[in-house]
Amino acid sequence: MITDDFLHCKAAADTPSQPTRNDQGSREQHSTPFKTAGIDTLCSDDDVRVEAAKVQAKFVSHVDTTTEVVVRFDFMSDQDTRVVVLTVEAATFAGLIILLVQFANIMTTDGSTRRFQSTTVYNWNVGVGSTCLALLTGMLMTYVWRVVSACQQHKIWQARRKRIIVLFLGELVVQWLNLALYIIPNAYLLLHRCLFLFPAFKWCGWLSWTCWNTLFLLFLLHAYGGRMSKLGPKVVLYNDGPWRWMWPCLVPWVLLQIPVSLAWLSPMDRHVFQNIKPLCQSTTIAASCTLDTRTQICVYVVVGVALGYFVVIFSLCFWKIRQHKRFPFRVVQVGWLFFRLQLRLRVIVMVFLALCLVLLWLVRIHSCASFQFTWLGLMPMQVVMTANTLVWAYISMPHNPHTDAAAKRVWEQEFAWTEADKPIKLAAKALTVPDNSKLSQAPIFCFETMMHMLYWTCLAYDYKRATGQYQRKRSDKLAEPLTTTAAPPQQHAGARTTLRLPTALSLYGLTHSELLWELQLDTRCLMGWNDSTIVLAFRGTASITNAWSDLQAWRVPHPPARGHLLCGTKPLVHVGFMKSWQAGGFNHKVITRIMELIHSRKAASGKLRIYITGHSLGGALATLAAYDIRQELVRQGQQEAQVVCYSFGAPRCGNHAFATDYNHMVPDTWSIINDQDVVTRGGKFLFLYKRPGHRVIINSLGVMMVSPSAMETSVQQYQGGQSVGQHFMTSYHHTILAVILAQFTAKAFSDGMEGVLKLIQASPHLQELFETQMGVRQEDIKKQVSMSPQDRLMQTGNCLEGAHLPPRGFYFIKPVRASQLQAQSNTMPACIAFRGWLPFWRPIPKDPAVSHPSGELELAYEKPVDSSSHSGELGLP
């Protein structure tokens, strides 16, 4: 059942469908037209409502914002994420600078007299501590006010959210006390410099370290609360259980509190007290800040136990994240994000605390600087811990989201398995979001479209020309296209791939094709079309010339020049990508050719769709091309034509102003990112470049995140580092197929098996790919789909027997030497050996045609360039 806060039906849609009868008395199903995201659809009201209900059922973490208390973390906006990230980064940078300055102070000559006579350290400690205390006071008052307001609204408190709010409120209070105890001794010394170790100092130090120990305890409680326990027939988290389940967390607290008490509350040797006051009154340099043996041992124990604390907390968070990998991402989405964010922020705090304890305490433990920092507190720890506490309090406080927050959260990450399902999804979204919401006009990702664009992108790399010899020529005209109905030539003897142009054309029923090639900068675009569809695939980096274009990372104005640079409204783009797109008038010739095709199409062909794709450099060119093509369509009054861009591993090609213009011009843009791809993760240069469109993040575990939030994108990039291997086209192909295979495991989407079945039924190419390369047969899927949900839950591992991932680069044909070929032919069937080439994964198919049935265009320059075809990215096998 769709709740009121989720379903906002329009007045016309709320009216019950009135069935009509024809002359024979039969019932006709009522249909309502929808116009969403530029697509006119005629969908059954029943189908649309059923689809809307299915989408809501997928999100088990969805909450009723009208009756339940929710926290800001449940509906984190991109703006909230930016505030959190900037706060943490700014505090980390400031803490690092302070740490380096204090460490340099310790390593210099130990001027005891100047140190105890000067008030510089005290002034800085009081100033920084007071600023942090004021910020925490404001946050504490706001937090308490939000909690009281939520209670006055008589909303339902779920046990887990109540536990989280209690823990973070406790963390806020403890850090407030910690800062107060940090300020008191420093403020007292501003008035009485020579009373450095009066008795109250010891109590302030002990209470301050008790606060630190309690903060570590709260860290541990958050991490330990993610463990699971059986409560009768159910499995529940410790956060949902009683507080007594958390008693093991008290063990490290006691272990740390014992040496803290011994170090700060035990009597100190008299010579330390006797030396401080003369040092304050003397004008000579004399030092005697050596700690006694007992205190020194206690300090070492405190540092050791604190480091052990950190290891336990990190291990628990990391273990919980590994557990999340066994479940569908949408089921554990909130928990995964919470523990990834916790791991990221807690690690920053723990690393800083460890560095402060080691560098400022242990490196020169008998110096007066270390002695002073030990008793007065460590400023870097206070700065970083205050920022961490503020961030967690901000994202965990009770929050009243916007009316469309629930629908936005659901629909931003929804996608269609097939292009036939896309209109129903769009109509269901238009029905379930509030009126006049931008979300109703937002595009939706299509898995089948991604698979089709993947094939075209691979073919753009590995396409072999039909003729063995091709004479370059200067040409300002486009070659006359030939239809694919003619018998295609046989495959070239030097072919390195089994990808075929006829197969690519058949994906959309295309009838013509051309290859556009600019020779100076080696830019290639493979084009196919019919009266209703045009497909453009740009080749990525496959030559030294292409690599040089990638390295030209400075920016130039995007034509036509507009906006103001100082105001941040002037669109700037990557100069290397722009040169590759504009060299030799390549952009004008591509756009001119497309407009010629549009004007020559039949009037009854229906709405035109233009699909643009590419990988790496090709993805950046696809982005620039999509903008210019859409701009030309608008200029010539062809606004109804739809431009869709799917890129793979594309780098950022423009600044924030360009991304804003692009999103307005081509909203149906999707950047597929393979986990930690170095090209997609790098190239941002702080704020100089911005990725336009929507992201789709995939990984080899079969996880796919459609339109992830800024917080999800941020924490996803934290672990693992950047990977060059994940940028290759073979890796993208392998990872996308891993998403397919994951639909037959416990990590599947709720409609994963049904979606794969729809893909097989919609595309003969995908059916052949899944059956021959992955062992995924249509009959087996139908059998699994017909099973009840209870029977599916009883299965473990891969429920399809024999289903597997193909080897990377399975569509390549591996060359062998003549001697290897002779040795192989003596031990293998004769039908497998073929013209000096061996198939990488299976025998050559009976129909090896990889041909281009139409003309080619080469834009040549006087300087000769190597025109040899490349099989893929640099570094590919």
Side-chain angles (χ1 to χ4, degrees), residues 792-839:
R792 291 189 192 180
L793 292 176
M794 297 298 294
Q795 296 179 340
T796 58
N798 195 332
C799 61
L800 284 186
E801 184 178 356
H804 61 277
L805 278 175
R808 294 179 185 270
F810 61 91
Y811 51 87
F812 286 123
I813 300 176
K814 187 177 180 180
V816 295
R817 298 176 181 177
S819 58
Q820 295 175 333
L821 178 64
Q822 183 63 31
Q824 293 280 356
S825 62
N826 294 334
T827 59
M828 66 191 311
C831 62
I832 298 182
F834 177 74
R835 295 187 183 180
W837 296 77
L838 290 181

Side-chain angles (χ1 to χ4, degrees), residues 139-154:
M139 180 61 70
L140 181 60
M141 295 174 62
T142 304
Y143 203 100
V144 173
W145 174 73
R146 288 291 185 92
V147 173
V148 173
S149 298
C151 294
Q152 291 176 347
Q153 295 174 5
H154 303 289

Side-chain angles (χ1 to χ4, degrees), residues 596-609:
E596 289 178 357
L597 297 175
I598 293 175
H599 293 314
S600 63
R601 60 195 292 262
K602 298 178 181 179
S605 301
K607 181 177 291 187
L608 176 67
R609 291 186 176 89

Side-chain angles (χ1 to χ4, degrees), residues 237-258:
L237 293 177
Y238 276 38
N239 274 332
D240 298 332
W243 283 100
R244 64 176 180 271
W245 289 3
M246 301 291 189
W247 71 265
C249 298
L250 293 175
V251 175
W253 186 89
V254 173
L255 293 178
L256 182 58
Q257 192 64 24
I258 292 174

Side-chain angles (χ1 to χ4, degrees), residues 137-196:
T137 301
M139 180 61 70
L140 181 60
M141 295 174 62
T142 304
Y143 203 100
V144 173
W145 174 73
R146 288 291 185 92
V147 173
V148 173
S149 298
C151 294
Q152 291 176 347
Q153 295 174 5
H154 303 289
K155 291 186 176 181
I156 301 174
W157 287 83
Q158 290 188 359
R160 187 177 305 175
R161 289 187 178 87
K162 189 175 182 179
R163 175 73 58 84
I164 289 175
I165 288 177
V166 169
L167 290 177
F168 283 119
L169 181 59
E171 184 175 324
L172 193 59
V173 172
V174 172
Q175 178 58 18
W176 190 93
L177 293 174
N178 190 13
L179 279 171
L181 294 169
Y182 171 73
I183 295 173
I184 290 174
N186 286 277
Y188 187 85
L189 285 174
L190 287 177
L191 302 175
H192 308 282
R193 287 179 298 168
C194 293
L195 296 179
F196 187 82

Side-chain angles (χ1 to χ4, degrees), residues 704-715:
M704 183 174 73
M705 294 186 290
V706 179
S707 296
S709 65
M711 181 64 72
E712 291 172 337
T713 303
S714 178
V715 300

